[in-house]
Amino acid sequence: MKKVFCIGELLIDFVAEKQGNDLSRATHFTKKAGGAPANVACAISKLGGKSIFLGCVGDDPFGQFLLGVLKTEGVDVSMAQLSKTFTTLAFVSLAEDGERDFVFSRGADKELEYDPTLRKSLKGNILHLGAATALLGGSLEKAYGKYLFDGLTKDMFISFDPNFRSDLWKENEEQFIKKCMPFIEKSHLCKFSLEEAQLLSGKDDVNQACDFFHKMGAKIITVTLGKEGTLLSLTDSKKLIPSIEVSPVDTTGAGDAFIGCLLYQISDLGNFDPVFQDCDVLEKMVVMANKAGAITTTNYGAIPSLPTKEQLEK
Ligand code: ATP
């Protein structure tokens, strides 16, 4: 089994308890572990895979809490870094109009330093670059560029999820698009939501968007479409793979469950070639990954809702 290195942010989400209040009126918040790459690492280890989380948290109680959550889920956090800067915090509430009210206090996640000694362990494994905050700057952004380069030279399978958050890129969408391009060009697998596929390609039609990415160099593309399932696009074929019917209560983390489950299955392939494009194999994997996404929506919170292998096989 290959190891999956998930690189990026791990942060505290303070979620307002009484939804319907904007942040100016919210009084009580629940502390939760958050960060897309950390969720993906948990999704993989809950399924029985080997995930390693590489990110930076503050050397403070919040940082300890976060690393503890990942450890409990079976993620290897021995390469995580600690900083004197406070752990990154996000405050979230749903206002009366259903809009998300969001305040973000960026701290230690940006300080992840590139670690050249890791190059040896990366060889022949899987690299997942899926941080919502990585392209916002800091040494984390520099590390992303360097790990991408290492991935290319170390015979790795590279996966990219842009995790676009409109709250973080309000006036700077063009910059976000530009920064994503090298990752789309070089990765073996790109996971987009419909909104991301449209934003990054400038095309409304999802098929045209995928063709645009393939022309840039993208190989395997998955566009997740909520309850409609996932569009799997390879350079010579496209297929919409339906999801399963569930009664969702909270869709947080569905995308992370999806990509985590896909990467877990890729990590479990015997002799895998980083440029494989086997349509039948990938279709079966997406069917499973859709299930993982769907199951995650049936409970509250991201990490607690990620399925185990037994739940997935039921
Ligand atoms: P995120 O907001 O976590 O980044 P995303 O937009 O990337 O999520 P979604 O499309 O919401 O991802 O969900 C990922 C996958 O989970 C979908 O492709 C689908 O297979 C499954 N899924 C999500 N929502 C539902 C639902 N309501 N019913 C069934 N399956 C769902």
Side-chain angles (χ1 to χ4, degrees):
M1 182 176 277
K2 311 278 176 202
K3 292 177 189 158
V4 187
F5 290 82
C6 302
I7 307 181
E9 81 275 8
L10 171 59
L11 52 86
I12 301 274
D13 273 327
F14 280 112
V15 183
E17 279 184 9
K18 192 165 162 232
Q19 299 295 318
N21 269 344
D22 59 27
L23 284 176
S24 66
R25 290 189 298 149
T27 50
H28 290 72
F29 294 85
T30 305
K31 179 182 74 173
K32 294 196 170 148
N39 291 343
V40 175
C42 291
I44 293 165
S45 61
K46 272 183 110 162
L47 291 170
K50 289 184 185 166
S51 63
I52 292 134
F53 175 73
L54 209 63
C56 184
V57 293
D59 189 5
D60 57 30
F62 288 144
Q64 283 157 22
F65 161 75
L66 291 170
L67 293 178
V69 171
L70 263 57
K71 258 195 222 167
T72 308
E73 298 297 348
V75 178
D76 179 346
V77 294
S78 59
M79 290 170 196
Q81 296 173 13
L82 293 176
S83 158
K84 286 200 172 70
T85 306
F86 62 89
T87 296
T88 298
L89 308 172
F91 296 83
V92 195
S93 180
L94 282 186
E96 254 165 28
D97 56 4
E99 283 299 306
R100 207 166 76 121
D101 205 9
F102 179 79
V103 168
F104 184 60
S105 184
R106 195 169 189 212
D109 82 275
K110 67 175 179 299
E111 297 190 356
L112 182 80
E113 293 290 341
Y114 169 70
D115 179 357
T117 63
L118 255 179
R119 299 189 82 227
K120 253 197 211 155
S121 359
L122 294 176
K123 190 165 173 52
N125 285 306
I126 297 175
L127 177 68
H128 176 63
L129 299 164
T133 64
L135 304 178
L136 288 167
S139 43
L140 174 61
E141 183 171 2
K142 290 194 189 113
Y144 251 53
K146 288 181 176 164
Y147 284 123
L148 176 68
F149 181 75
D150 283 352
L152 294 169
T153 57
K154 289 284 164 190
D155 195 21
M156 292 191 82
F157 183 87
I158 305 168
S159 149
F160 176 61
D161 177 349
N163 271 307
F164 175 68
R165 301 281 181 264
S166 54
D167 306 293
L168 298 178
W169 292 95
K170 274 179 195 139
E171 309 294 320
N172 289 313
E173 284 185 2
E174 285 307 316
Q175 212 190 345
F176 174 77
I177 296 169
K178 202 170 145 205
K179 287 182 176 201
C180 284
M181 292 303 149
F183 295 91
I184 298 172
E185 276 171 31
K186 307 288 183 208
S187 300
H188 300 98
L189 166 67
C190 290
K191 181 252 175 232
F192 303 117
S193 64
L194 179 61
E195 182 197 13
E196 288 164 347
Q198 291 170 330
L199 174 76
L200 292 167
S201 65
K203 311 209 180 290
D204 285 342
D205 181 88
V206 67
N207 293 303
Q208 286 180 13
C210 289
D211 291 340
F212 172 86
F213 298 131
H214 286 308
K215 269 194 200 130
M216 284 174 60
K219 293 157 195 87
I220 305 165
I221 301 171
T222 57
V223 183
T224 52
L225 304 165
K227 67 176 172 18
E228 304 304 329
T230 301
L231 178 73
L232 169 66
S233 179
L234 306 176
T235 43
D236 56 359
S237 66
K238 287 189 182 55
K239 188 154 186 188
L240 179 64
I241 302 174
S243 188
I244 54 167
E245 221 177 295
V246 288
S247 305
V249 295
D250 177 8
T251 60
T252 314
D256 300 329
F258 171 89
I259 188 73
C261 182
L262 198 52
L263 291 175
Y264 161 69
Q265 294 172 86
I266 293 172
S267 75
D268 204 24
L269 281 174
N271 259 343
F272 92 105
D273 166 6
V275 288
F276 86 108
Q277 281 249 332
D278 188 324
C279 188
D280 293 340
V281 173
L282 283 165
E283 258 185 65
K284 282 185 194 136
M285 290 180 173
V286 171
V287 168
M288 269 303 192
N290 278 349
K291 271 194 206 173
I295 293 170
T296 305
T297 69
T298 60
N299 267 310
Y300 291 96
I303 295 176
S305 312
L306 297 165
T308 59
K309 202 167 184 190
E310 291 68 39
Q311 286 168 320
L312 201 61
E313 282 168 355
K314 247 188 203 168

